[in-house]
Amino acid sequence: MKLDVRIHGRGGQGVVTAAELLSVAAFEQGLHAQALPSFGSERTGAPVTASCRISDLPIRSHDPISQPDLLVVQDLTLLRDPVVMAGLPEDGTVVVNTNRDLADLVHGGLVVGPAQRWVTIPANDLSRQLLGRPVPNTALVGAVAGMTDLLSPEAVATAIRRRFAGLGEEIAEANVRLAEQARDLVMTTTAGGDVRC
Amino acid sequence: MLRQVEGSRAVAETVARCRPHVVAAYPISPQTHIVEALSELVGSGDLTACEYLTVESEFGALSACIGASAAGARAYTATASQGILFMAEALPNASGLGLPMVMTVANRALGAPINIWNDHSDALSQRDAGWLMLFASSNQEAVDLHVQAFALAERLSLPVMVCMDGFVLTHAVEEIDVPGQDEVDAFLPPFRARQWLDPDEPVTIGAMVGPEAFTEVKYLMAHRQLRALDDVSQVARDFAAAFGRDSGGLLRPYRTADADVVVVALGSVLGSLADVVDELRDEGLAVGALGVTCYRPWPLDEVRRALREVPRVVVLNRAFAVGSGSILGQDVRLSVPAATKVHDVVLGLGGRPLTHDVLRRLVLDVVAGQVGSDTLTFYDLDHQRVATELARELADVPSAGGAS
Amino acid sequence: MSTTPLKLYQVGTFAAGNRLLDPDERTVQSSTQRASSITSGHRACRGCGEALAARVVMDAAMRAAGGRLVTVNATGCLEVFSTPFPESAWQVPWLHSLFGNAAAVASGVAAAMRATGRDDVRVLAQAGDGGTVDIGLGCLSGMFERNDDVLFVCYDNQGYMNTGVQRSGATPAGASTANTRPMGAGIGNAFGTGKSLPRIAMAHEIPYVATATIADLHDLEAKVEAAMALHGARYLHVLVPCPLGWGSDPSDTVRVARLATQSGLFPVFEAEHGTVTRVARIRRRVPVEEYLRLQARFRHLFGEPGRPDVVAALQAQADRDIARFGLDPEEES
Ligand SMILES: Cc1ncc(C[n+]2csc(CCOP(=O)(O)OP(=O)(O)O)c2C)c(N)n1
Ligand code: SF4
Ligand SMILES: [Mg+2]
């Protein structure tokens, strides 16, 4: 078993934290994991990438993920960058943070690669409701956990609580709820067959 | 205890458990997370009896460590890239004076052009400075090497550099067993300086030496460096006995027995290399890897023994000597029989990723005879880009002798 | 008298902001002829004070130098965000060498210009506060002390922003940075550390030393022009808020800079040959708290339990500088 996740977003959106949360949740569940940020010299708002490897075997390599099983796209505008989709196999999955629906994205020419599975999640909206700010990363972590059925809600919650401990219980708990909501959302919307186009 | 933690954080916590008295550091990417975490550990009171100096430059950082060590304190610093160059004058001073201290180098390319990403040109540029240089192949080894480094430094009264790949290791979050305080205390005795600035027994440190004795002093230095090889092995053995895992030592061979091709490398690429070796072995190719953990002093005899029977050796250089050739490859060439084919390749400079695919292709190309063995090969070079630029340069240059 | 082609037309007149002023008094930035020494498209954060200051400084210097200007840049945010390979935002000859040597490199450029008979080319060096007050201080002091013909501009955002917001010798007491976190009884960056580089520069008795902020761009331009009218070593220290490192809202950058001056925490003045010649008096004095509260780096000083003692100590620091430089609005008669 292995799951290679690559996360694309913009500086300030918590891309690196998202990869770290996934890896900690996987670790909590007795799996092996590795989160690898690919740092640029960029400033707030610039594209940022991070990877997370999850496996039931110890992980030895440290190269960036070039063939992800799952892509998380935290900012819709990034979909126009060919780098984002690079290396995604035919049966790969893309999770996009947007409140537009899939048909709308297809219409806008943002969905490429016919055989891939696409899931949309309004992570910014969810985050605004629960945190008062659009920080999409914990919602997307919850969504990935739900879709892959690899990480339990408890493991995700533990990872979030540990990571946000310094920010106070209120913020940590709001993030836990955020991840759970996103998880529920993808589990209901994607239940009964993959979203394909 | 095994934890999912960032490499830098794990190193900082481990350094803290080694109870340094003085930490002096200047921020530079990708070392920053280590020294930031240490400042937190001092600020929070987790690391007591430690002075954390926010110095004004790397020259100040290493110089403060020199002063601290000469005053009988356990001293630590960390740097990378331009920072180690800014320390350059103080590096052979620390080793020449025989002052124990530990420095982490979060390996990063040297400018110009400025580049913050990983290769080995920073540390290798200081390979003759008289420091012991240990390279970590994983974050677990990086952590463990720091404990060993303090032990070695103080046993030998010499400075020790622990090199770990910048970003690739320093910023990776993975499972790491950070040694507990009791374990470290049991392994690392309190620091007792060989000589220090003691008002009760005054010593002079750093006197001038003229032509009448300079060569002898230098000879003794070289001799001590070579003797350190035994200590590196011994400390690694002691460590394995105390902590129950293999880390450090001189070399890290991986499936080299009966290998037709062995890839020699420093640092974190050994993880991906091991994956590639397994894959190719499954496909019937007799391939192995040899990690060099102790780069200085160079373990000549051990490398010779490890590669004696190997017909083809690939040296993976992540730095090179401009105008001369390879660095690691030169050391390897001196350690193998003349008949051995040494394929000296440069790749992974300035953060260009050393992916599984690149490594696999490299080995297959070597086996297929497509990589030369007399010159340095820039393996992951964009030939197209270089050719275009060279053509442009040639067109620009006025022909010699002016109007002819 | 030169005229500026007008693009604005409103309320039935050509009046628009400082276009009412005599052309001589208008800001360089309002001119369509400005050099645009740093073009748009660079990678600074939203609301970056350093990017704004650099643009204004460079354009003013270009005008003063009649376009004959060379600039040397230390490593730091400005250098990194303006030159992402294969792009460059610079429309002037620009050289980045290292982090700590900008002043000496600029001295070398100035010497070369002199030696090769190109004295008309002016030299401007620029660095962040780290490249100025810490690692660059030795070279800078040498440049001052030889009175080399260089204008050195420090963009002071009070920390090492390029490497992720660590403390510098220009970081104020009480500020939380990546290596001065307020842990336990700690307050963040300690009192009694750091230095005032403008006053150190003055101690070299160089022809011109000035401070400015991006809250008053007109004043900033005027100071660049004053400096460029002189020869020898000149030093300009510009306060440039950094939304990322200060934890202030990007839309508050100018406001934060103004509050720094109006609280007395950042005195704005000019000095010639070691003597203060002019100060910008405070127009509406505000308590330091008003300035501090806009910035997350001081968040731990407020709320429960907060550190009123630290706020009071910072107020005392402001009061001391107000007295030292005579910034008090009341003293004006
Ligand atoms: C010798 C050396 N040490 C450290 C660094 C890493 N470094 C690059 S920029 C920088 C901080 C820049 O701070 P500042 O000068 O205040 O400029 P800012 O980025 O804040 O504008 C540091 C520490 C370096 N490039 N060279
Ligand atoms: S970190 Fe600060 S100084 Fe650097 S670009 Fe962003 S706002 Fe400007
Ligand atoms: Mg700065």
Side-chain angles (χ1 to χ4, degrees):
Chain A
M1 189 288 300
K2 79 147 181 79
L3 179 75
D4 287 354
V5 182
R6 199 170 66 206
I7 308 173
H8 295 267
R10 294 190 178 274
Q13 281 189 320
V15 175
V16 175
T17 306
E20 182 183 334
L21 288 174
L22 283 175
S23 84
V24 174
F27 174 81
E28 284 301 313
Q29 211 147 298
L31 295 165
H32 300 281
Q34 174 193 68
L36 274 178
S38 82
F39 270 94
S41 60
E42 303 289 7
R43 299 292 177 268
T44 328
V48 179
T49 308
S51 313
C52 180
R53 287 192 168 90
I54 299 175
S55 170
D56 53 3
L57 297 173
I59 299 166
R60 292 186 295 196
S61 61
H62 282 90
D63 54 330
I65 291 177
S66 34
Q67 276 138 14
D69 302 305
L70 191 151
L71 273 183
V72 177
V73 183
Q74 296 208 352
D75 184 316
L76 193 60
T77 59
L78 291 170
L79 272 180
R80 300 215 181 268
D81 185 350
V83 168
V84 171
M85 301 296 290
L88 189 73
E90 300 257 302
D91 58 349
T93 304
V94 188
V95 187
V96 190
N97 168 25
T98 177
N99 50 18
R100 294 161 64 175
D101 62 19
L102 204 55
D104 201 18
L105 297 191
V106 174
H107 186 70
L110 287 167
V111 171
V112 287
Q116 291 147 359
R117 178 178 172 216
W118 288 72
V119 177
T120 63
I121 170 120
N124 277 5
D125 291 356
L126 293 177
S127 164
R128 241 186 242 111
Q129 282 159 21
L130 275 166
L131 305 176
R133 293 190 305 141
V135 196
N137 59 351
T138 36
L140 289 163
V141 167
V144 170
M147 287 170 49
T148 55
D149 214 16
L150 203 65
L151 308 173
S152 70
E154 293 75 35
V156 172
T158 306
I160 292 176
R161 288 198 181 102
R162 196 169 299 155
R163 183 64 174 74
F164 294 112
L167 300 177
E169 200 180 317
E170 206 178 308
I171 295 183
E173 289 311 313
N175 275 288
V176 169
R177 281 199 303 284
L178 184 53
E180 277 164 9
Q181 267 196 17
R183 177 192 180 89
D184 293 346
L185 198 66
V186 290
M187 291 190 74
T188 47
T189 53
T190 60
D194 292 352
V195 186
R196 284 180 185 277
C197 49
Chain B
M1 193 183 67
L2 210 56
R3 272 160 57 206
Q4 187 76 9
V5 60
E6 189 197 314
S8 291
R9 175 86 208 176
V11 165
E13 287 182 16
T14 305
V15 168
R17 302 216 165 126
C18 295
R19 303 186 190 273
H21 300 104
V22 176
V23 175
Y26 194 70
I28 182 162
S29 305
Q31 150 266 38
T32 45
H33 290 189
I34 299 174
V35 298
E36 287 169 7
L38 273 166
S39 79
E40 254 180 65
L41 290 166
V42 173
S44 65
D46 286 326
L47 173 54
T48 49
C50 174
E51 292 287 326
Y52 183 94
L53 300 181
T54 51
V55 284
E56 76 307 317
S57 73
E58 288 84 359
F59 186 67
L62 188 54
S63 302
C65 287
I66 288 173
S69 185
R74 186 172 281 165
Y76 172 81
T77 186
T79 191
S81 184
Q82 311 303 125
I84 197 173
L85 292 193
F86 212 79
M87 290 177 171
E89 190 184 0
L91 285 166
N93 183 255
S95 59
L97 295 177
L99 296 173
M101 65 187 71
V102 171
M103 170 160 79
T104 311
V105 179
N107 296 112
R108 159 182 157 182
L110 291 182
I114 187 169
N115 174 298
I116 61 170
W117 294 275
N118 171 228
D119 71 26
H120 294 153
S121 50
D122 52 1
L124 293 200
S125 78
Q126 301 305 315
R127 64 191 177 274
D128 303 329
W131 285 54
L132 269 68
M133 294 171 72
L134 309 175
F135 276 81
S137 62
S138 67
N139 267 321
Q140 186 63 58
E141 190 165 49
V143 156
D144 296 345
L145 283 179
H146 280 85
V147 181
Q148 298 187 25
F150 279 107
L152 277 168
E154 291 164 15
R155 191 191 265 233
L156 294 158
S157 205
L158 279 175
V160 181
M161 213 184 276
V162 179
C163 300
M164 62 191 290
D165 285 321
F167 291 120
V168 177
L169 290 182
T170 56
H171 287 55
V173 176
E174 46 190 345
E175 54 187 53
I176 304 170
D177 192 343
V178 179
Q181 189 63 67
D182 295 346
E183 290 175 289
V184 176
D185 284 344
F187 185 77
L188 187 64
F191 176 38
R192 292 213 21 240
R194 196 162 287 182
Q195 50 176 331
W196 60 289
L197 301 168
D198 181 358
D200 293 331
E201 277 176 64
V203 288
T204 299
I205 303 177
M208 178 179 262
V209 175
E212 72 286 357
F214 188 78
T215 308
E216 288 67 31
V217 172
K218 285 286 174 187
Y219 177 86
L220 290 170
M221 231 178 118
H223 190 258
R224 189 141 64 109
Q225 267 268 338
L226 289 177
R227 263 192 347 224
L229 287 167
D230 293 339
D231 297 86
V232 173
S233 302
Q234 185 57 48
V235 167
R237 276 196 297 275
D238 295 348
F239 185 90
F243 291 81
R245 59 177 175 265
D246 269 329
S247 279
L250 300 174
L251 299 175
R252 184 158 289 275
Y254 186 74
R255 301 184 77 172
T256 48
D258 313 323
D260 292 330
V261 181
V262 168
V263 184
V264 182
L266 299 168
S268 65
V269 70
L270 285 160
S272 298
L273 259 182
D275 285 350
V276 170
V277 165
D278 286 353
E279 194 177 284
L280 293 173
R281 284 261 179 189
D282 285 350
E283 292 169 24
L285 273 183
V287 180
L290 182 68
V292 178
T293 309
C294 177
Y295 178 64
R296 284 291 182 269
W298 177 252
L300 183 89
D301 292 338
E302 288 73 12
V303 175
R304 184 171 283 159
R305 228 171 292 129
L307 297 177
R308 195 167 38 206
E309 311 286 334
V310 182
R312 280 171 188 277
V313 173
V314 184
V315 184
L316 223 153
N317 293 279
R318 310 212 37 219
F320 69 103
V322 184
S324 151
S326 93
I327 299 174
L328 179 60
Q330 286 304 329
D331 292 312
V332 172
R333 273 179 207 279
L334 291 176
S335 320
V336 296
T340 309
K341 277 203 172 353
V342 178
H343 304 270
D344 222 348
V345 293
V346 173
L347 73 176
L349 297 183
R352 186 160 289 182
L354 285 169
T355 61
H356 180 97
D357 291 355
V358 171
L359 296 171
R360 181 186 159 88
R361 192 155 35 83
L362 170 64
V363 175
L364 292 177
D365 282 355
V366 166
V367 171
Q370 284 171 9
V371 178
S373 58
D374 10 289
T375 53
L376 194 60
T377 305
F378 284 75
Y379 187 73
D380 54 2
L381 187 71
D382 180 344
H383 289 275
Q384 180 69 42
R385 177 175 263 182
V386 169
T388 314
E389 184 55 31
L390 283 177
R392 193 162 41 213
E393 251 176 48
L394 286 177
D396 275 354
V397 174
S399 55
S404 60
Chain C
M1 195 170 85
S2 70
T3 51
T4 308
L6 294 176
K7 284 188 177 158
L8 300 167
Y9 183 80
Q10 57 189 43
V11 293
T13 78
F14 292 108
N18 68 16
R19 284 168 205 281
L20 280 175
L21 298 171
D22 281 345
D24 293 353
E25 290 175 15
R26 291 179 192 169
T27 64
V28 176
Q29 287 299 304
S30 72
S31 162
T32 53
Q33 310 293 307
R34 64 167 185 252
S36 287
S37 317
I38 308 172
T39 54
S40 57
H42 58 67
R43 314 285 175 87
C45 306
R46 281 175 300 157
C48 174
E50 186 162 283
L52 174 59
R55 175 185 167 90
V56 170
V57 164
M58 288 304 301
D59 283 353
M62 277 292 276
R63 184 168 81 172
R68 307 281 291 158
L69 186 76
V70 171
T71 184
V72 175
N73 212 135
T75 312
C77 266
L78 175 61
E79 165 263 326
V80 169
F81 73 60
S82 63
T83 59
F85 182 84
E87 294 154 20
S88 167
W90 297 93
Q91 308 297 306
V92 291
W94 180 90
L95 169 62
H96 163 239
S97 170
L98 297 169
F99 185 24
N101 67 357
V105 172
S107 290
V109 173
M113 294 300 173
R114 222 169 31 248
T116 55
R118 288 172 290 165
D119 302 59
D120 62 319
V121 179
R122 308 299 303 275
V123 184
L124 187 151
Q126 38 192 352
D129 48 297
T132 304
V133 316
D134 291 337
I135 199 167
L137 185 57
C139 291
L140 183 60
S141 177
M143 187 276 267
F144 285 164
E145 164 255 309
R146 294 184 302 269
N147 199 26
D148 291 334
D149 192 12
V150 173
L151 168 58
F152 192 101
V153 183
C154 167
Y155 301 113
D156 178 10
N157 52 22
Q158 304 188 330
Y160 299 152
M161 300 320 178
N162 186 49
T163 37
V165 197
Q166 297 85 15
R167 171 205 181 275
S168 81
T171 302
S176 168
T177 70
N179 59 356
T180 62
R181 291 270 174 253
M183 316 285 300
I187 62 156
N189 194 36
F191 278 95
T193 62
K195 54 195 123 176
S196 158
L197 209 89
R199 285 165 57 218
I200 293 172
M202 281 169 63
H204 290 76
E205 307 204 345
I206 55 177
Y208 187 77
V209 172
T211 65
T213 76
I214 50 134
D216 189 345
L217 296 180
H218 208 149
D219 177 65
L220 175 57
E221 282 185 354
K223 283 171 176 162
V224 172
E225 278 168 16
M228 292 294 291
L230 300 170
H231 282 271
R234 290 142 293 142
Y235 179 72
L236 179 57
H237 190 105
V238 192
L239 184 73
V240 292
C242 162
L244 182 90
W246 296 16
S248 51
D249 196 277
S251 65
D252 273 341
T253 297
V254 172
R255 184 164 161 225
V256 168
R258 178 166 303 117
L259 290 172
T261 64
Q262 299 305 293
S263 61
L265 280 174
F266 188 82
V268 176
F269 65 92
E270 279 175 297
E272 289 171 30
H273 300 289
T275 307
V276 175
T277 52
R278 199 180 73 84
V279 302
R281 283 182 195 281
I282 293 171
R283 290 168 71 180
R284 182 183 69 92
R285 181 130 182 226
V286 298
V288 293
E289 188 169 337
E290 215 173 292
Y291 165 74
L292 303 173
R293 275 193 184 271
L294 289 177
Q295 306 170 49
R297 62 177 172 156
F298 296 114
R299 188 185 284 143
H300 57 285
L301 304 182
F302 303 103
E304 288 306 318
R307 291 299 299 259
D309 54 326
V310 173
V311 177
L314 288 167
Q315 185 63 57
Q317 217 172 56
D319 295 346
R320 189 196 58 201
D321 267 353
I322 287 171
R324 177 185 279 149
F325 288 97
L327 304 174
D328 206 325
E330 300 302 312
E331 282 172 24
E332 225 163 4
S333 52

